Amino acid sequence: MGTRILDLLQLQNLTKRDPSAYKEEFLLQYQHYLTQLQIFQLKPTKEFKHFSQLVSYLSHVCVCYPKELSEFPKQISDLLENNCNNLEPELRKILAKSLILMRNRNLLPQIQMLSLFFKLFRVHDKPLRSLLYSHIVADIKNTNLKQKNQKLNRTLQNFMFTMMNDDSEIASKMSLKVMIELFRKKIWHDTKTVNVISNGVFSKNSKILITTLNFFLHIDNPDKPDEEEEDEAIKEKRAKDNFRKKSLAHRVGKKTKGRITRLAKSKVDLKKAKQDEENKLQPNFPAIELIHDPQGYCDKLFNVLVKTTEKFETRIMIMNFISRLIYVHKLMVYNFYPFLQKYLQPHQKNITYLLAVLAQSCHELVDPDVLKPLVMTIAKYFVNDGCGSDVIAIGLNTIRSICSRCPLAIDTVLLADLIQYREKKEKGVAMASKSLLQFFKDNYPSMLPKKERGKNKTDIGLLAFGHQKVSQGIDGLDLLMDEELNARLDAIEAGEEFESDDDDDDDDDDDDEEGWEDVDTVNDDNESGDNDDDDEEGWEDVDTADDDNSEWVSDDDNDDEVEGEVEGEEEEEEEEEEEEVEGDEDEDEWEEVEGEEDEDEEIEGDEDDDEEWEEEEEEEEEIKPTKKKQQKEKVEVLRTDDIKVLTDEELIRIRKLRILKEARENNKQYEDMDQDDENGENVHGLIRPEDLQGAHKKKKEEKLERIARAKEGRDGGYGSKASRRDKTGKSTTNEYKAKVTKPFVLTLKTKKVRGKSLKSFRDKQIGQREHSARQKRGRH
């Protein structure tokens, strides 16, 4: 060798470049490592620097000499397993990193290494635990990236189940965190993982109990997308934009070879991004829905709640978890409601949270006799004139939330008393009472007093306890096949105006119908007026009657006009004589006959118009049912032949279409559906305590808070110029000066201002979408 090797790092670099040339140096260092290992096993000392360098060198070059170093991974793992508590923290970390390096090169069995790492969680070394935690999650994720390794997953899940019951609290807590992270990343998104995690609520360790409750209650939001998913979404968006630009350039520009190559590459990138997104689509079930035997699990958890001596904050988290289990799985835990009743006092700590837990635990299968005492208790202690407006509003909102899930929990007498609070001056109380009234007015108006039921309200009918309304198929499935309604929803979401031909036709039809009604009413009024005049005159003015009737004589009978007049006079004289004899008794009958004669005259005069009107109606009747028939045929085909599993996006779209349809029927403006509905409930039945508070006045600040807020406002506005310049910087940019000092008139012709006015509608849509996405992420 022409050069002198100074240290092991240089030897490591040279060995990787040419393994055969430096094999002798490698064997020399390996013999030196074996002697150091024997000494180190006899007495682990603090002088580990040279030994750690040897281990690091051999772990990097083990790929070059697999036969000579076949026993090296086992030696390091045995050293860590047997002497982990006696080693120095830095040496432990170096040995763990060397094992990770060899595992990444497939020189160490995965199950053997992961089981060792789980055992190392018992060591009181926080940096080491964080290193092991991140590697375990990443290793299992990479193993299940292309396809699920069920054998490995079952083995590790069984091992983790034993680690959950380990004597070391640190090891059991870290194992629990690993499983929660794998479930959140949708790697172990199955029932076995959830049921292993669910056993954490029975642990005697408070930290494990709280971690498990936070997972099931979504307090730490375990289903939120991680950074990698956000990066992949950004990558897919960039691929779409790149493909759109390249395709536009290829379409409008010159067809060069480089441009065609770039277009093909952008198409491949877009296809790959879409495939990666489709491969990751999995059904996202909440963890609380995957628990085995929820009734037995909930009963066991309630017994833990009754006997526990944890802090009150931990106990109300257990109550929240039990209530969520009761609602999601429709359980019957009747002892839970009397247990909550003793906490229902206005002065109770976290009373709003407890009331939300109570309302959350109600569903239609709970016996109303169990809930009626709770409703009466809330009405007694929260809804009375001696309580404050905030307390009354919370009580009314809680009763409304309970009744929305179980309407039989309240009687008509109490309901009539509660809706009287809508006349209160306090805004929160009035709104809460009106919302309770509106709920029963929309759904069960028969429970309200007659004067409060409103007009045209159809009663759904209050089902008896235990009865359910069973729907065949999916409600609102036909709305997905309604092309016009879907087009209208797409236009609303895109911020465009939608005009359909059906609306114009309907308007024209309404106008035509209104026109016909007006004509009929005018004719009827005129005829009735003429009849009244004739009755009052007593048939004395025969000439005027003849003049009126002469208008209805056809042009073809002009030759017989005189004979018709003579015959009309004779008939009128005879009728006059009969009228005098019969008296007033036959006046009504004569008026009816006279009205029929007038109608006959109208029909004779408007025969042509009626024929045209009938033809138009027949054409409309032939056109209108076609859309409904097509829509029904599509739904029937979807329900019978094409069996399809609806995605989350399609179910959300059905809800939006139903809201849009109701808005159109009630002539109201469409309002987009939020994640939570009007009652403060989301899809999984969660009721937030903030929703029960309603509208209330802002609490008056104390004196110290007002002084602190005033001082915050003075920081940038007072002081010398030098002090302000020191805080904000020595000088300002020209861009800032132009923005602040230059008049707007001088900036009208700038590229920035003109570009906004010349933006296309598509670019405005993209900008608005990006702005709303940044707001949702909390980035401005």
Side-chain angles (χ1 to χ4, degrees):
M1 292 185 305
T3 59
R4 183 183 176 186
I5 300 174
L6 299 176
D7 55 1
L8 288 174
L9 289 175
Q10 187 179 2
L11 179 61
Q12 172 185 322
N13 186 20
L14 295 172
T15 306
K16 285 183 177 180
R17 291 182 178 182
D18 193 356
S20 59
Y22 292 92
K23 189 172 183 181
E24 294 181 1
E25 287 80 359
F26 158 73
L27 292 174
L28 182 63
Q29 296 296 333
Y30 183 59
Q31 292 297 328
H32 186 46
Y33 155 75
L34 292 176
T35 56
Q36 290 286 334
L37 179 63
Q38 292 175 359
I39 296 171
F40 199 82
Q41 287 176 346
L42 293 174
K43 186 178 180 182
T45 59
K46 295 183 179 180
E47 298 175 359
F48 59 88
K49 187 175 181 180
H50 185 62
F51 179 73
S52 63
Q53 290 177 354
L54 287 171
V55 171
S56 178
Y57 164 72
L58 293 175
S59 62
H60 278 86
V61 300
C62 61
V63 183
C64 304
Y65 310 103
K67 292 182 179 179
E68 290 79 358
L69 294 176
S70 58
E71 297 295 328
F72 177 69
K74 189 176 184 302
Q75 292 170 359
I76 301 297
S77 58
D78 292 341
L79 180 63
L80 265 176
E81 186 174 2
N82 298 327
N83 302 311
C84 59
N85 293 320
N86 299 326
L87 298 176
E88 292 295 323
E90 188 176 351
L91 180 60
R92 275 197 301 257
K93 195 171 182 180
I94 292 172
L95 295 177
K97 284 183 177 180
S98 64
L99 287 177
I100 292 172
L101 182 62
M102 288 184 284
R103 169 69 194 100
N104 292 335
R105 295 175 178 179
N106 293 324
L107 297 174
L108 189 65
Q110 186 178 18
I111 296 177
Q112 178 184 350
M113 179 183 165
L114 291 179
S115 60
L116 172 63
F117 280 6
F118 275 109
K119 293 176 182 177
L120 291 178
F121 278 143
R122 302 168 183 167
V123 181
H124 293 272
D125 188 356
K126 194 169 184 180
L128 177 66
R129 289 199 303 268
S130 62
L131 175 67
L132 300 178
Y133 169 77
S134 59
H135 172 71
I136 289 171
V137 174
D139 193 21
I140 297 175
K141 180 181 178 182
N142 294 330
T143 306
N144 295 275
L145 195 59
K146 294 183 179 179
Q147 61 181 3
K148 297 290 184 182
N149 191 346
Q150 299 296 343
K151 182 179 179 181
L152 173 69
N153 294 338
R154 282 196 298 269
T155 305
L156 289 177
Q157 285 172 352
N158 294 331
F159 183 76
M160 286 186 182
F161 184 73
T162 58
M163 289 297 297
M164 286 285 295
N165 301 322
D166 194 77
D167 296 335
S168 175
E169 295 179 354
I170 300 175
S172 57
K173 183 184 176 183
M174 293 302 296
S175 303
L176 179 63
K177 286 181 66 177
V178 168
M179 285 187 288
I180 290 174
E181 185 67 18
L182 291 172
F183 184 88
R184 189 178 69 82
K185 290 181 178 290
K186 298 181 182 177
I187 300 167
W188 286 359
H189 207 274
D190 55 353
T191 56
K192 189 170 185 179
T193 306
V194 173
N195 286 278
V196 171
I197 296 172
S198 64
N199 291 320
V201 296
F202 306 117
S203 175
K204 296 180 180 179
N205 188 3
S206 300
K207 292 183 178 180
I208 296 175
L209 172 62
I210 294 172
T211 305
T212 309
L213 292 174
N214 288 339
F215 167 72
F216 282 107
L217 297 176
H218 287 237
I219 293 175
D220 54 352
N221 196 7
D223 290 331
K224 65 182 179 182
D226 55 1
E227 295 179 356
E228 295 181 1
E229 293 180 357
E230 291 180 357
D231 294 340
E232 291 175 358
I234 293 171
K235 190 183 295 183
E236 184 183 359
K237 183 183 177 183
R238 287 176 180 171
K240 287 181 180 178
D241 294 340
N242 189 25
F243 176 72
R244 184 171 60 85
K245 291 178 182 178
K246 295 295 184 292
S247 60
L248 179 63
H250 179 72
R251 190 169 63 251
V252 301
K254 188 177 180 181
K255 309 298 187 294
T256 61
K257 186 177 180 181
R259 189 167 285 171
I260 294 172
T261 306
R262 287 192 293 270
L263 176 62
K265 186 178 182 302
S266 64
K267 191 181 293 185
V268 171
D269 293 341
L270 179 61
K271 186 176 180 181
K272 185 179 179 182
K274 285 184 177 180
Q275 286 179 353
D276 293 341
E277 187 67 23
E278 290 175 358
N279 293 335
K280 290 189 175 183
L281 289 178
Q282 295 179 357
N284 185 16
F285 295 105
I288 200 169
E289 294 182 1
L290 302 176
I291 296 176
H292 285 315
D293 188 18
Q295 182 68 49
Y297 180 80
C298 194
D299 292 337
K300 189 176 178 182
L301 184 59
F302 179 70
N303 293 331
V304 172
L305 174 63
V306 173
K307 299 177 182 178
T308 188
T309 57
E310 296 286 342
K311 295 187 297 184
F312 183 70
E313 288 77 9
T314 307
R315 279 183 282 162
I316 61 176
M317 287 178 66
I318 299 174
M319 296 178 199
N320 192 4
F321 183 35
I322 292 174
S323 68
R324 196 84 63 83
L325 278 169
I326 291 173
Y327 177 77
V328 171
H329 295 281
K330 301 295 185 289
L331 305 178
M332 278 59 144
V333 187
Y334 288 156
N335 293 332
F336 180 66
Y337 302 100
F339 179 81
L340 283 178
Q341 189 173 0
K342 64 183 180 181
Y343 293 104
L344 299 182
Q345 297 290 339
H347 57 79
Q348 175 66 46
K349 185 181 179 181
N350 296 329
I351 183 60
T352 311
Y353 190 94
L354 290 170
L355 289 173
V357 167
L358 170 61
Q360 194 173 253
S361 63
C362 300
H363 55 86
E364 61 272 10
L365 298 181
V366 179
D367 192 353
D369 295 336
V370 178
L371 296 177
K372 282 181 180 179
L374 293 167
V375 175
M376 293 298 296
T377 303
I378 295 172
K380 179 180 178 182
Y381 292 108
F382 290 84
V383 189
N384 58 63
D385 296 334
C387 297
S389 58
D390 297 341
V391 178
I392 298 175
I394 292 172
L396 290 172
N397 287 327
T398 307
I399 293 174
R400 185 210 57 208
S401 299
I402 294 173
C403 294
S404 64
R405 297 171 176 229
C406 186
L408 297 172
I410 191 171
D411 55 358
T412 56
V413 179
L414 179 60
L415 179 61
D417 292 339
L418 295 179
I419 61 176
Q420 299 300 323
Y421 280 90
R422 69 185 186 279
E423 299 175 358
K424 289 285 185 179
K425 293 182 180 179
E426 292 82 0
K427 185 178 180 181
V429 177
M431 289 177 64
S433 181
K434 287 177 182 177
S435 65
L436 179 64
L437 173 63
Q438 191 64 36
F439 168 75
F440 280 96
K441 187 182 287 187
D442 292 339
N443 298 294
Y444 311 105
S446 59
M447 295 186 67
L448 294 170
K450 288 186 178 180
K451 63 178 181 179
E452 306 294 346
R453 293 177 184 177
K455 297 180 181 179
N456 301 326
K457 292 294 182 181
T458 58
D459 198 346
I460 298 175
L462 205 60
L463 296 175
F465 171 62
H467 290 213
Q468 284 184 335
K469 183 180 179 182
V470 181
S471 60
Q472 297 180 352
I474 300 174
D475 294 337
L477 186 62
D478 53 341
L479 299 178
L480 280 178
M481 305 300 143
D482 194 345
E483 297 178 356
E484 180 191 350
L485 199 63
N486 280 274
R488 190 181 295 274
L489 179 62
D490 293 336
I492 290 173
E493 290 180 347
E496 302 173 356
E497 293 184 0
F498 179 80
E499 293 182 0
S500 63
D501 298 334
D502 296 339
D503 295 339
D504 299 336
D505 296 340
D506 294 340
D507 296 338
D508 295 338
D509 295 341
D510 295 338
D511 296 338
D512 294 339
E513 290 175 1
E514 291 175 359
W516 280 100
E517 289 175 359
D518 294 340
V519 171
D520 294 339
T521 52
V522 170
N523 291 336
D524 293 339
D525 295 338
N526 294 333
E527 291 164 7
S528 62
D530 295 337
N531 295 335
D532 295 339
D533 295 339
D534 295 339
D535 293 337
E536 290 175 359
E537 292 173 358
W539 299 94
E540 293 179 0
D541 296 332
V542 180
D543 296 335
T544 57
D546 293 336
D547 295 337
D548 294 334
N549 294 329
S550 64
E551 295 176 4
W552 297 97
V553 178
S554 62
D555 296 335
D556 299 334
D557 298 335
N558 288 333
D559 297 335
D560 300 333
E561 187 176 359
V562 178
E563 296 178 3
E565 290 179 357
V566 174
E567 290 175 0
E569 290 177 359
E570 293 177 354
E571 290 176 359
E572 287 177 0
E573 289 177 358
E574 293 176 359
E575 291 170 357
E576 203 173 329
E577 291 176 359
E578 291 175 359
E579 188 178 357
E580 290 176 357
V581 174
E582 291 174 357
D584 298 333
E585 294 179 359
D586 297 333
E587 286 182 0
D588 298 333
E589 297 178 359
W590 173 246
E591 289 175 359
E592 292 176 1
V593 174
E594 186 180 6
E596 292 175 358
E597 291 176 357
D598 295 337
E599 290 177 359
D600 294 336
E601 291 173 354
E602 290 178 4
I603 293 170
E604 290 175 1
D606 298 336
E607 283 180 355
D608 298 334
D609 296 336
D610 289 341
E611 290 177 358
E612 294 177 359
W613 177 253
E614 289 175 359
E615 291 176 358
E616 291 178 0
E617 283 185 345
E618 289 176 358
E619 291 177 358
E620 290 177 359
E621 288 175 358
E622 291 177 357
I623 294 171
K624 285 182 179 179
T626 55
K627 290 186 177 181
K628 294 183 178 179
K629 288 181 180 178
Q630 292 175 358
Q631 189 174 338
K632 289 181 180 178
E633 289 175 358
K634 289 180 180 179
V635 174
E636 289 176 359
V637 169
L638 185 60
R639 286 178 177 171
T640 56
D641 299 335
D642 187 12
I643 298 175
K644 179 185 176 184
V645 178
L646 296 178
T647 60
D648 293 340
E649 291 78 10
E650 289 175 338
L651 294 174
I652 293 173
R653 188 169 184 83
I654 288 174
R655 293 180 63 192
K656 289 183 178 180
L657 290 170
R658 191 182 293 120
I659 294 172
L660 178 59
K661 184 180 179 183
E662 292 176 357
R664 290 192 64 199
E665 290 175 352
N666 298 327
N667 294 326
K668 293 181 179 179
Q669 188 176 2
Y670 171 76
E671 295 181 358
D672 195 4
M673 177 188 62
D674 297 330
Q675 184 181 1
D676 302 336
D677 57 8
E678 295 177 356
N679 295 330
E681 302 177 14
N682 65 358
V683 181
H684 307 303
L686 173 64
I687 296 180
R688 298 173 301 184
E690 296 83 8
D691 297 323
L692 298 181
Q693 294 177 1
H696 58 280
K697 288 185 179 181
K698 188 177 179 182
K699 188 178 179 182
K700 188 176 180 181
E701 293 180 345
E702 296 180 357
K703 187 176 180 180
L704 295 176
E705 294 177 353
R706 292 198 301 271
I707 293 172
R709 188 164 55 84
K711 287 182 178 179
E712 289 178 1
R714 292 176 189 167
D715 289 341
Y718 294 91
S720 62
K721 285 186 178 180
S723 63
R724 293 202 302 271
R725 190 168 59 245
D726 291 338
K727 290 180 181 178
T728 59
K730 296 298 181 183
S731 61
T732 57
T733 60
N734 292 331
E735 184 181 356
Y736 178 77
K737 288 178 181 177
K739 183 179 179 182
V740 175
T741 60
K742 186 176 288 187
F744 180 70
V745 179
L746 300 179
T747 62
L748 284 175
K749 300 296 184 180
T750 58
K751 184 178 179 181
K752 186 176 181 181
V753 176
R754 292 177 65 190
K756 290 182 179 179
S757 60
L758 297 176
K759 263 187 180 180
S760 64
F761 183 73
R762 175 64 179 165
D763 292 337
K764 290 180 181 178
Q765 276 186 332
I766 293 172
Q768 182 66 25
R769 208 169 289 146
E770 291 177 353
H771 175 68
S772 60
R774 283 195 303 270
Q775 281 188 332
K776 288 181 180 178
R777 292 197 301 266
R779 300 172 185 172
H780 302 285

